[in-house]
Amino acid sequence: MAYYPPCHLREQEIGQPYVELLKGIPGTTLEVISGAFYCCGLAGVMGFKRDFHNTSAQLGRPLMEKIQTVNPERIVTDCLSCRVQFNQFLPCYVLHLIELLKESYVAYENQKKALSAQGYGSNGGV
């Protein structure tokens, strides 16, 4: 799984608060894609305008190429605009951090139910 902290989050210089949270999800490996020259290229409203589509694609090309070298099954990003751009240019499944946390929570609850149905209690014993 690749995590892309969007430009606006990086520019606020508050760090990457979600990296440790994502690393704590069991069964996941995480590649953080970050750097001053990695931008999705959407550039706010400009990426939605037909006149700027090619410029937007060119600006985002280095990031798209980096993600392709990582070859993740999934991309997680906090920015819904970046998500639009990733969905347009990459074959990966793209989701928001909250969606991933929900999936993880549901999987955990399902695992608990399955163990309970097999006779295991909350302490893991029979």
Side-chain angles (χ1 to χ4, degrees), residues 3-6 11 19 24-25 38 43 46-47 53 55 58-61 63 66 79 84 89 98 106-107 116 123:
Y3 169 64
Y4 175 70
E11 288 302 315
V19 171
I25 298 173
Y38 288 136
M46 300 309 285
H53 176 77
T55 303
Q58 288 174 356
L59 183 61
R61 183 172 290 123
L63 175 60
K66 172 64 176 174
C79 180
V84 167
F89 292 111
I98 297 301
V106 168
S116 179
N123 65 1

Side-chain angles (χ1 to χ4, degrees), residues 1 19 24-25 46 85 91 94 112-114 117 121:
M1 174 173 56
V19 171
I25 298 173
M46 300 309 285
Q85 196 81 325
V94 185
K112 272 187 12 182
K113 288 177 188 173

Side-chain angles (χ1 to χ4, degrees), residues 10 21 33 47 58 65 88 90 92 94 96 109-110:
R10 294 191 320 261
L21 183 61
I33 299 175
Q58 288 174 356
E65 290 172 352
Q88 179 173 267
L90 296 170
C92 308
V94 185
H96 190 276
E109 288 298 314
N110 290 339

